[in-house]
């Protein structure tokens, strides 16, 4: 149930009440409206983790590359 | 192909990691993965079969569906049977057995049960159905409680008098301590649940790692993520290091998500909590603060949970890692996903259901 799936922000839809700020997010070919009030610094093009319709974390591209590189480099 | 998932399923990386773990390990280690999502992935991807024999994975209590007390399900069923109430919850919850059937069977008898993907859907439902009382049955760990706090804050800002929450929230660190305080435990180290860490950060774990001499590694969910976490844990165990590390850097900041923590503490506060299978653990759950009590279904409908009934289900031993699911005498006979005796057989993240669905080979050996 703690599943969170990565998706890419295509468009941000601000709202008067910040609790209702949403984004159109592409998740594996499907677009979905996701609440992004908990990741206020998210911007268009970011990959985010979506859990129960809510963005909970912005994926750190640099860290992702670093991890993959470290594993590649294992002898 | 989904970015940030696909890369962590590459067979050549899996092979490298297995090889590396094999090189590091010199003796038996018992490592608990906390989260049911991790259990599911380990079993589904066959990782338990390819790990070196000395690395023993113990499946922890991190499936919120599995640890929700039966009494909460019974209250949800009671509410769903009222004419004025629509009971909304996640799909995973509707099949969990209560005393007299599940929410699904209550629905078949005419109860009003609506499955929601998000708690925010239920808020919108309350807005468009002012004639009904919308109750959201909210269960979850730290990953999900901020989402529920957000739903309550939205309901308050929208001025919805007909929305409330029947909640059963649990917290990971107190459960880890309770497991480690059991003198029979055999756990050497932990894979911490990556998405819980994405919200809460890592600070609660330093004390646990030090006091209980158990390394703790924040770990993701894909095969490469899991093996990367296991490798780090084995490396620390082999060197007698009891530290906390983050192997899920792309998703976890060690201080967590501040905005999520903030909204959660605005709405919820700590409370003692009954866990199905583990009993009552002090300060291991959340309750709705008095400032939000108008949205607390316990208060709104004057509900009080009944005492838990004794059950033959051995979930407690399974959740503590003292028994494998297939060592339960009911596994696959009296207890199956079609006819579950306990919650770990219901949810796809429950250890028993994961073993059942993916025919883990040790079941027959
Ligand atoms: S197999 Fe069934 S009865 Fe046994 S522990 Fe799992 S859920 Fe409980």
């Amino acid at each position: 149930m703690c599943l969170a799936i990565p998706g890419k922000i295509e468009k941000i839809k601000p709202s008067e009440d910040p609790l209702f700020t949403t984004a159109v997010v592409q998740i594996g070919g499907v677009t979905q409206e996701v609440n992004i009030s908990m990741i206020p610094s998210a911007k268009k093009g970011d990959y985010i983790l979506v859990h129960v319709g809510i963005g909970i974390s912005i994926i750190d591209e640099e860290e992702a590359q670093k991890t993959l590189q470290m594993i590649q480099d294992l002898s | 192909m989904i970015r940030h998932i696909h890369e962590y399923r590459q067979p050549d990386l899996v092979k490298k990691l297995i090889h590396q773990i094999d090189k590091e390990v010199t003796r038996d280690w018992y490592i608990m993965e906390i989260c049911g999502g991790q259990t599911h992935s380990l079993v589904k991807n066959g990782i338990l079969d390819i790990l070196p024999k000395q690395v023993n994975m113990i499946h922890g209590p991190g499936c919120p569906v599995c640890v929700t007390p039966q009494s909460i399900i019974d209250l949800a069923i009671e509410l769903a049977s009222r004419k004025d109430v629509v009971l909304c919850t996640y799909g995973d919850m509707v099949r969990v057995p209560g005393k007299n059937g599940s929410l699904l069977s209550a629905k078949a008898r005419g109860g009003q049960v609506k499955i929601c993907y998000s708690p925010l859907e239920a808020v919108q439902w309350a807005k468009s159905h002012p004639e009904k009382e919308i109750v959201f049955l909210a269960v979850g760990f730290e990953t999900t409680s901020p989402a529920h706090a957000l739903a309550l804050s939205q309901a308050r800002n929208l001025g919805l008098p007909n929305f409330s929450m029947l909640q059963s929230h649990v917290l990971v660190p107190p459960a880890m301590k309770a497991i480690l305080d059991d003198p029979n435990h055999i756990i050497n180290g932990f894979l911490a649940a990556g998405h819980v860490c994405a919200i809460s950060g890592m600070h609660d774990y330093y004390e646990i790692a030090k006091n209980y001499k158990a390394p703790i590694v924040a770990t993701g969910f894909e095969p490469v993520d899991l093996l990367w976490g296991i490798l780090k844990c084995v490396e620390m165990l082999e060197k007698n290091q009891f530290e906390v590390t983050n192997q899920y850097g792309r998703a976890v900041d060690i201080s967590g998500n501040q905005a999520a923590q903030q909204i959660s503490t605005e709405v919820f506060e700590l409370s003692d909590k009954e866990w199905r299978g583990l009993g009552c653990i002090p300060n291991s759950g959340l309750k709705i603060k008095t400032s939000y009590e108008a949205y607390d279904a316990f208060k709104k409908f004057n509900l009080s949970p009944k005492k838990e009934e004794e059950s033959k289900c051995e979930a407690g031993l399974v959740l503590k890692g003292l028994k494998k699911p297939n060592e339960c005498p009911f596994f696959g006979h009296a207890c199956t996903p079609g006819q579950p005796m306990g919650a770990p057989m219901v949810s796809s993240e429950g250890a028993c259901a994961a073993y059942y669905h993916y025919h883990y080979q040790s079941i027959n050996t």
Side-chain angles (χ1 to χ4, degrees), chain B residues 312-315 318 325 328 330-331 335 341-345 352:
Chain B
K312 289 201 187 115
C313 164
E314 304 206 331
V318 172
C328 166
F330 308 110
F331 179 89
C335 181
M341 277 172 65
M345 191 54 103
C352 301

Side-chain angles (χ1 to χ4, degrees), chain A residues 1-8 17-22 26-29 32-40 45-75, chain B residues 1-5 7-8 10 12-13 16-17 19-20 23 35 62 64-65 90 92-93 117-120 124 139-141 143-144 146-147 150 153-154 157-158 195-196 198-199 221 224 228 231 247-252 257 259-260 263 349:
Chain A
M1 229 200 83
C2 292
L3 198 69
I5 298 174
K8 187 180 183 182
D17 180 343
L19 289 186
F20 290 84
T21 306
T22 60
Q26 226 279 8
I27 304 175
Q32 198 186 312
E33 194 153 324
V34 171
N35 181 295
I36 54 164
S37 62
M38 289 184 210
I39 42 170
D46 282 349
Y47 274 83
I48 61 170
L49 278 180
V50 180
H51 172 62
V52 299
I54 295 159
I56 59 164
S57 168
I58 303 171
I59 293 182
D60 186 326
E61 296 282 349
E62 218 173 282
E63 282 290 333
Q65 282 315 316
K66 231 166 67 188
T67 303
L68 288 169
Q69 196 56 52
M70 279 196 280
I71 300 171
Q72 287 287 8
D73 291 346
L74 289 174
S75 52
Chain B
M1 184 174 125
I2 303 183
R3 248 197 92 206
H4 295 297
I5 286 190
E7 305 91 300
Y8 303 88
Q10 296 178 68
D12 56 321
L13 297 188
K16 262 181 194 274
L17 285 161
H19 177 70
Q20 196 68 23
K23 258 172 49 184
C35 174
V65 179
Y90 302 114
D92 287 15
M93 288 306 294
Y117 159 69
S118 168
L120 306 182
Q124 289 306 319
V139 303
F141 280 92
T143 320
T144 321
L150 176 63
S153 299
Q154 284 195 346
N157 288 9
L158 291 169
H195 295 146
V196 167
I199 299 282
F221 297 78
V224 167
W228 187 225
L231 172 62
Q247 297 299 96
Y248 195 28
R250 71 182 184 281
V252 174
N257 178 332
I263 193 154
E349 290 175 9

